[in-house]
Amino acid sequence: PITPGELLCLGSSLAFSGLFYYLYRKKARVVARIQEAPKLQVNDDLPALVSAADGRCLPYVALEGIVLPAKAALTSHYHEGLQGVIQKLLLKEHRLIWNSLARSW
């Protein structure tokens, strides 16, 4: 005989397993799209390629090229000779969404 507590534990275990599998598959699809991203070189043709794209946006691309730091390059404390730069990113949201809780756009 199975007790109601055991059924509850089994049901919640199955529900959590299904939820985590769904989240795993969703993230796996995103990773696959990123890995299949086309590799583009940073050159003079890049602005024309972006402006010709649908919505003037390239969803996933890998840019390859040489970048120059604005001030000084960052050096790694863990690997000698490894340097990097920080990219400044600005995101503007043009779509307004009604927030019913705050009653504002």
Side-chain angles (χ1 to χ4, degrees):
I2 298 176
T3 64
E6 290 173 339
L7 284 176
L8 180 67
C9 289
L10 178 65
S12 63
S13 175
L14 289 174
F16 280 122
S17 295
L19 173 69
F20 292 138
Y21 182 72
Y22 167 75
L23 294 173
Y24 165 76
R25 294 298 303 159
K26 188 176 176 182
K27 296 299 179 186
R29 284 192 297 268
V30 171
V31 168
R33 284 185 62 198
I34 290 173
Q35 287 178 343
E36 294 171 357
K39 294 181 181 175
L40 303 176
Q41 294 292 323
V42 177
N43 55 21
D44 296 333
D45 299 333
L46 187 60
L49 181 65
V50 171
S51 61
D54 186 32
R56 296 184 54 153
C57 179
L58 300 172
Y60 289 111
V61 294
L63 293 177
E64 295 178 341
I66 298 173
V67 296
L68 299 174
K71 294 181 182 174
L74 301 172
T75 57
S76 174
H77 297 287
Y78 304 107
H79 302 283
E80 282 190 35
L82 188 62
Q83 294 183 338
V85 295
I86 295 177
Q87 175 186 3
K88 206 172 190 180
L89 180 66
L90 176 65
L91 178 66
K92 290 185 180 180
E93 182 71 32
H94 297 287
R95 183 180 63 176
L96 295 176
I97 299 174
W98 175 254
N99 186 347
S100 61
L101 186 61
R103 296 187 181 265
S104 65
W105 286 99

